[in-house]
Amino acid sequence: MSSSTLLDELIEALRCLPGVGAKTAQRMAHHLLERNRDGGRRLATKLGDAMQRIGNCQRCRNFSESEVCALCRNASREAQQLCVVEMPADQAAIEQATGYRGHYFVLLGRLSPLDGLGPKELGLDLLSARLAEGEVTELIIATNPTVEGEATAHYLAQVARQHGVRPSRLAHGVPLGGELEYIDRGTLAHAFGSRLDV
Amino acid sequence: MSSSTLLDELIEALRCLPGVGAKTAQRMAHHLLERNRDGGRRLATKLGDAMQRIGNCQRCRNFSESEVCALCRNASREAQQLCVVEMPADQAAIEQATGYRGHYFVLLGRLSPLDGLGPKELGLDLLSARLAEGEVTELIIATNPTVEGEATAHYLAQVARQHGVRPSRLAHGVPLGGELEYIDRGTLAHAFGSRLDV
Ligand SMILES: [Zn+2]
Ligand SMILES: [Zn+2]
């Protein structure tokens, strides 16, 4: 039997975190209670706020607490380049590793008909409308080098050409079958810099 | 630049968890936002509650949301045996691995004069008062087999004898230099079962 119901509930709740099993969750709970209650309280507040207030940017679909995210509103970013990624983590990886100064579009997935993910679910109507605005001249396709990512890239290149926009892809250097999010910054920066027209 | 200040704050706040660096914190935040907002909200609530309401049992010093914890209040536990551990995690490990049905006393540390941890900080006045009540006949000393843990055990054995209480220690099987919390259940159960008088 346990000495604290609330503690058990906290340990159970911590298991919603990826890669956190029962033992790690217990260690986390004890650590906070013993050594960092302020940190625990701050995390509780930020977590509640974030789950409540973070939605998706109406323009790029990345995480945002406002209707249009800060990056989309940033007038100093170049409007001619639009980089399409699968997930917010991919956007963060490119932003942190490269000197890219253009805009992003986040699919929040990849074409996967079996999972019910088609052009509509990936916001490609929004992307088409964006390209139809006429400002974008290059669509940098940075989907993952997986089978579904490649299929998505192929589809995106067609969409770009329909709007007279030049599609490009990241250069060789991205290992096949790898996930963009986990690639070291140097490799990612190099691949981004030597991207090719497709 | 980042697309969401609140997201950055959440990622930073997650780093209060042990073993969680920047990359893992980002992965956790994205995972919750993308796939498990209910889990994130539940964690926020439980975390806030726990940091606010979990204190220490006035009788055994283990974590408790009430003045006296459920285990101390449990009349079906045997009052003759009192097991002393360093940390709440050690109590949890013994409770989960063994069939022990007695009570516990949690030092919340170990004798460590250089860190300002003496008998007072470990609640040994409370422990002495408990032994003076006369119900406890065996003090099971389950401190860690480290230098400080051994010194603490030696001190505790003296305290027990002063009160006419028989001190015992866990049997061989606990690896020297190891931490009780990380020992596999089988070894711990065996060591607990064949504890020796000291
Ligand atoms: Zn945006
Ligand atoms: Zn208690």
Side-chain angles (χ1 to χ4, degrees):
Chain A
M1 74 160 295
S2 161
S3 55
S4 169
T5 303
L6 183 50
L7 177 58
D8 292 339
E9 290 170 1
L10 171 59
I11 291 170
E12 183 57 36
L14 280 163
R15 298 188 60 182
C16 74
L17 298 171
V20 174
K23 198 78 189 163
T24 302
Q26 182 192 296
R27 190 144 54 242
M28 287 174 164
H30 285 211
H31 174 89
L32 294 178
L33 286 168
E34 287 160 12
R35 273 172 281 187
N36 195 358
R37 294 209 182 209
D38 283 347
R41 268 186 283 264
R42 189 167 52 246
L43 176 55
T45 304
K46 293 302 175 194
L47 196 51
D49 281 0
M51 295 302 117
Q52 199 64 35
R53 290 172 43 206
I54 295 180
N56 293 92
C57 172
Q58 290 185 1
R59 191 156 171 80
C60 74
R61 295 173 38 111
N62 200 356
F63 292 134
S64 177
E65 58 204 271
S66 48
E67 287 199 356
V68 176
C69 77
L71 198 152
C72 282
R73 281 185 278 117
N74 186 343
S76 76
R77 304 284 303 208
E78 289 161 26
Q80 294 78 27
Q81 291 180 310
L82 187 62
C83 177
V84 185
V85 295
E86 294 181 14
M87 301 302 291
D90 302 325
Q91 186 274 339
I94 289 174
E95 188 69 6
Q96 286 157 25
T98 75
Y100 180 61
R101 295 290 304 158
H103 285 269
Y104 293 95
F105 188 85
V106 183
L107 300 171
L108 300 177
R110 59 213 64 82
L111 284 178
S112 181
L114 292 178
D115 300 317
L117 291 178
K120 183 168 155 31
E121 286 72 27
L122 302 185
L124 295 196
D125 46 351
L126 189 63
L127 178 65
S128 285
R130 174 76 164 270
L131 298 182
E133 289 174 6
E135 278 201 308
V136 175
T137 58
E138 179 186 6
L139 190 74
I140 303 169
I141 302 169
T143 53
N144 283 305
T146 57
V147 172
E148 289 177 342
E150 293 289 342
T152 307
H154 185 73
Y155 192 96
L156 289 168
Q158 288 182 313
V159 172
R161 288 195 195 91
Q162 281 165 13
H163 291 88
V165 170
R166 181 168 58 95
S168 64
R169 296 219 55 196
L170 301 201
H172 286 307
V174 179
L176 281 167
E179 296 276 338
L180 223 60
E181 182 185 351
Y182 302 109
I183 295 169
D184 69 284
R185 293 168 64 129
T187 304
L188 185 55
H190 176 269
F192 198 88
S194 34
R195 63 187 178 273
L196 306 167
D197 288 349
V198 288
Chain B
M1 74 159 294
S2 160
S3 55
S4 168
T5 301
L6 182 51
L7 178 56
D8 293 338
E9 290 171 0
L10 171 59
I11 291 170
E12 183 57 35
L14 281 162
R15 298 187 60 182
C16 74
L17 298 171
V20 174
K23 198 78 188 165
T24 302
Q26 182 192 296
R27 190 144 55 243
M28 287 175 164
H30 286 211
H31 174 89
L32 294 178
L33 287 167
E34 287 160 11
R35 274 172 280 189
N36 195 359
R37 296 211 181 209
D38 284 346
R41 267 186 283 264
R42 189 167 53 245
L43 176 55
T45 304
K46 293 301 176 193
L47 196 51
D49 282 359
M51 295 302 116
Q52 199 65 34
R53 291 172 43 206
I54 295 181
N56 294 92
C57 173
Q58 291 186 359
R59 192 158 170 79
C60 73
R61 296 174 35 114
N62 200 355
F63 293 135
S64 176
E65 59 204 89
S66 48
E67 287 199 355
V68 176
C69 77
L71 198 151
C72 282
R73 281 185 279 115
N74 186 344
S76 76
R77 305 284 301 208
E78 290 161 24
Q80 293 76 29
Q81 290 180 310
L82 187 62
C83 177
V84 185
V85 296
E86 293 181 15
M87 300 302 290
D90 302 325
Q91 186 274 339
I94 289 174
E95 188 68 6
Q96 285 157 25
T98 73
Y100 180 61
R101 294 292 300 158
H103 285 270
Y104 294 95
F105 188 85
V106 183
L107 299 172
L108 300 175
R110 59 212 64 80
L111 284 179
S112 181
L114 292 179
D115 299 317
L117 291 178
K120 183 169 154 34
E121 286 71 29
L122 302 185
L124 296 197
D125 46 351
L126 189 62
L127 179 64
S128 285
R130 175 73 164 273
L131 298 182
E133 289 175 6
E135 276 201 309
V136 175
T137 58
E138 180 185 5
L139 190 74
I140 304 170
I141 302 168
T143 53
N144 282 307
T146 57
V147 173
E148 289 177 343
E150 293 289 343
T152 308
H154 184 72
Y155 192 95
L156 289 169
Q158 289 182 310
V159 171
R161 288 196 195 92
Q162 281 165 12
H163 290 88
V165 171
R166 181 168 57 97
S168 64
R169 295 220 55 194
L170 301 201
H172 286 307
V174 178
L176 281 166
E179 297 275 339
L180 224 61
E181 181 184 352
Y182 302 109
I183 295 169
D184 68 282
R185 293 168 65 126
T187 304
L188 185 55
H190 176 270
F192 197 88
S194 33
R195 63 186 176 274
L196 306 168
D197 288 348
V198 288

